[in-house]
Amino acid sequence: MSARHFLSFMDCTPDELLQLIRRGIELKELRSRGVSHEPLKNRVLGMIFEKASTRTRLSFEAGMIQLGGQAIFLSPRDTQLGRGEPVDDCARVMSRMLDGVMIRTYAHSTLTTFAANSNVPVINGLSDDLHPCQLLADMQTFFEHRGSIQGKVVAWIGDGNNMCNSYIEAAEQLDFTLRVACPEGFEPNARFVERAGARIQIVRDPTEAVEGAHLVSTDVWTSMGQEEESKIRLETFKAYQVSRELLDKASRDVVFMHCLPAHRGEEISHDLLEDPRSVVWDEAENRLHAQKALMEFLIPHTRNA
Ligand code: CP
Ligand code: NVA
């Protein structure tokens, strides 16, 4: 199986990631000038969604159309995947018909199993462990607003979840310091923390994490699949809300990001998305441009078979 996959930030070299970020900025500019760019004509992306999505679905589907190709939405509710057909069988079949597959799923092992049996690129559109496409967009957004992120300080406030794990990988690959402020018992996965070494610090106090930070980011307290825990999580994370006052304690040129959807009054204060330091709408838009760069990089422009 020779295809390149993007299941995690570690699937690319730091140089490749920087190239993707630059290319996302270029593709955004081309689109704003109305220039048509269709390197993926006749290419088809399959998109398997086992969880809900607005941004991921739209950005992959619109992105493929803009690149000259097409995307097919597949839900487990109406495919054989949902009726127990093994993931490796599905991968073998789908990769004979498609030019790439994007998967949003629960267990990360679904992605690795699929990729191991796929002849075409597999892209992680979010798993319980990681959300690398969101990180491409976040990094593009930081580059657009503030330039290189190397040597900067990023604060992650709240749950040590899939987004947090992807921030850890980004810190490793793009060489920035990440401070995670989370309650006890909600730390990011030790596997990611140990590998990142000194680049990541875990603290309990959000104020300590944001001190001097150039980027502050957070996410929902209850991720998809954790709905049964939401009551206890609401209680546990109360002290981890990001507000204007918390951002005042960061660097003067701090930017605020949130992958969205956001819950105002929970992980962010009601007014935060409207604060001039918030770049969340650019961040959401950049999913489109960053993933177009990714698909242009991964999906072969001509088919050999
Ligand atoms: N940020 C993000 O992945 O959004 P969706 O769940 O809407 O795709
Ligand atoms: N951590 C969230 C991200 C949603 C885009 C979740 O997994 O539900």
Side-chain angles (χ1 to χ4, degrees), residues 58 76 133 204:
L58 272 177
C133 290
R204 298 292 165 218

PDB file of all heavy atoms in Angstrom, residues 58 76 133 204:
ATOM      1  N   LEU A  58     -18.361  20.400   4.932  1.00  0.00           N
ATOM      2  CA  LEU A  58     -18.435  21.470   3.930  1.00  0.00           C
ATOM      3  C   LEU A  58     -17.089  21.760   3.302  1.00  0.00           C
ATOM      4  O   LEU A  58     -16.977  21.940   2.091  1.00  0.00           O
ATOM      5  CB  LEU A  58     -18.912  22.757   4.611  1.00  0.00           C
ATOM      6  CG  LEU A  58     -20.411  22.967   4.691  1.00  0.00           C
ATOM      7  CD1 LEU A  58     -20.703  24.244   5.463  1.00  0.00           C
ATOM      8  CD2 LEU A  58     -20.987  23.073   3.276  1.00  0.00           C
ATOM      9  N   PRO A  76     -22.577   5.808   8.123  1.00  0.00           N
ATOM     10  CA  PRO A  76     -22.735   4.401   8.505  1.00  0.00           C
ATOM     11  C   PRO A  76     -24.202   3.980   8.533  1.00  0.00           C
ATOM     12  O   PRO A  76     -24.518   2.807   8.425  1.00  0.00           O
ATOM     13  CB  PRO A  76     -22.108   4.311   9.895  1.00  0.00           C
ATOM     14  CG  PRO A  76     -21.792   5.677  10.317  1.00  0.00           C
ATOM     15  CD  PRO A  76     -21.946   6.605   9.161  1.00  0.00           C
ATOM     16  N   CYS A 133      -6.482  17.982  10.743  1.00  0.00           N
ATOM     17  CA  CYS A 133      -6.889  18.963   9.715  1.00  0.00           C
ATOM     18  C   CYS A 133      -7.208  20.313  10.357  1.00  0.00           C
ATOM     19  O   CYS A 133      -6.937  21.368   9.795  1.00  0.00           O
ATOM     20  CB  CYS A 133      -8.099  18.459   8.936  1.00  0.00           C
ATOM     21  SG  CYS A 133      -7.677  17.079   7.870  1.00  0.00           S
ATOM     22  N   ARG A 204      -2.371  23.503  36.300  1.00  0.00           N
ATOM     23  CA  ARG A 204      -3.782  23.469  36.707  1.00  0.00           C
ATOM     24  C   ARG A 204      -4.454  24.830  36.531  1.00  0.00           C
ATOM     25  O   ARG A 204      -5.669  24.905  36.365  1.00  0.00           O
ATOM     26  CB  ARG A 204      -3.897  23.034  38.183  1.00  0.00           C
ATOM     27  CG  ARG A 204      -3.361  21.653  38.440  1.00  0.00           C
ATOM     28  CD  ARG A 204      -4.211  20.579  37.785  1.00  0.00           C
ATOM     29  NE  ARG A 204      -3.472  19.320  37.766  1.00  0.00           N
ATOM     30  CZ  ARG A 204      -3.497  18.462  36.761  1.00  0.00           C
ATOM     31  NH1 ARG A 204      -4.237  18.698  35.679  1.00  0.00           N
ATOM     32  NH2 ARG A 204      -2.799  17.355  36.799  1.00  0.00           N
TER      33      ARG A 204
END
